[in-house]
Amino acid sequence: MERRKTGVGPNVSKAGPTSTLQQSTKPGSTNRQGKSHLAFGIGCFNFASLRPEGELSRELYFADLKDYILSDKLVKNFEIEIEDNTVVDSSYKPQNITDDIAECGYVYPYISNCLVRFEIHIPKRVQQDYILSWREPTSVEDFTIEIDYSEDIPVTYVWLDGNETSPSTAVSI
């Protein structure tokens, strides 16, 4: 799996990308001028485990994550890049796990040194159900999601092929 150079890490500048339009590495993605572009939005997606305390291992977490994400029929090409030093630390399980990471004050489980990537197809009619009423669906229906666990919190990139004017909409969808 190819790790995109978008964040902080070895051989990567702390400045990161300076624009939301980057050259695409995917063939066949072209704009009106015949140049390939890729738009992206940035967010933070974390998948907590509901397994009982003491039952969660690195292998179980990634197996549960894969099963959960692939249970959505719109998802394909799920991959996990695990390093020898990949850690899944579940020693500090919060009392209540909610949809809001900020409510417990820390990310659970704490994961480091891995990358999760998958593709999802979200038709415009479905996008409309998940965005604020004043926003329009994105100009595309296919998204690549990368969750990079190389920092203290998971940094998620939602990549869109095309000339998307509001790539952050893809993050909220």
Side-chain angles (χ1 to χ4, degrees):
M1 183 177 343
E2 173 190 332
R3 184 177 292 239
R4 297 179 198 264
K5 298 199 187 276
T6 55
V8 178
N11 306 321
V12 179
S13 158
K14 283 189 180 275
T18 57
S19 169
T20 58
L21 289 178
Q22 300 293 315
Q23 286 296 320
S24 174
T25 57
K26 288 185 177 180
S29 169
T30 59
N31 68 8
R32 284 176 251 165
Q33 290 83 26
K35 297 179 183 176
S36 296
H37 286 88
L38 194 65
F40 66 92
I42 299 176
C44 177
F45 300 163
N46 183 56
F47 296 90
S49 175
L50 300 179
R51 286 185 177 272
E53 197 163 341
E55 188 180 306
L56 187 63
S57 68
R58 180 172 105 163
E59 292 74 22
L60 280 175
Y61 178 80
F62 289 123
D64 290 347
L65 180 63
K66 181 178 182 178
D67 290 346
Y68 177 75
I69 291 176
L70 287 175
S71 69
D72 188 323
K73 303 298 184 224
L74 302 175
V75 171
K76 63 181 182 177
N77 297 328
F78 181 87
E79 301 174 77
I80 302 175
E81 182 180 300
I82 299 174
E83 305 291 333
D84 289 340
N85 62 346
T86 297
V87 172
V88 176
D89 182 359
S90 60
S91 57
Y92 301 104
K93 187 173 183 178
Q95 293 290 334
N96 291 322
I97 295 176
T98 67
D99 292 340
D100 187 354
I101 295 172
E103 286 185 16
C104 75
Y106 54 92
V107 175
Y108 174 83
Y110 176 78
I111 301 166
S112 65
N113 302 315
C114 74
L115 182 77
V116 173
R117 178 184 293 143
F118 58 94
E119 296 172 14
I120 188 166
H121 175 82
I122 307 174
K124 289 182 195 242
R125 64 179 168 70
V126 175
Q127 290 181 34
Q128 193 63 52
D129 293 341
Y130 291 98
I131 58 178
L132 299 172
S133 60
W134 54 272
R135 285 199 150 165
E136 293 295 321
T138 62
S139 63
V140 297
E141 295 183 335
D142 294 306
F143 308 90
T144 300
I145 313 301
E146 289 183 344
I147 307 172
D148 185 345
Y149 292 93
S150 62
E151 297 299 324
D152 288 335
I153 62 170
V155 177
T156 304
Y157 300 92
V158 180
W159 301 91
L160 305 88
D161 283 335
N163 289 325
E164 179 57 48
T165 58
S166 182
S168 294
T169 301
V171 175
S172 64
I173 293 170

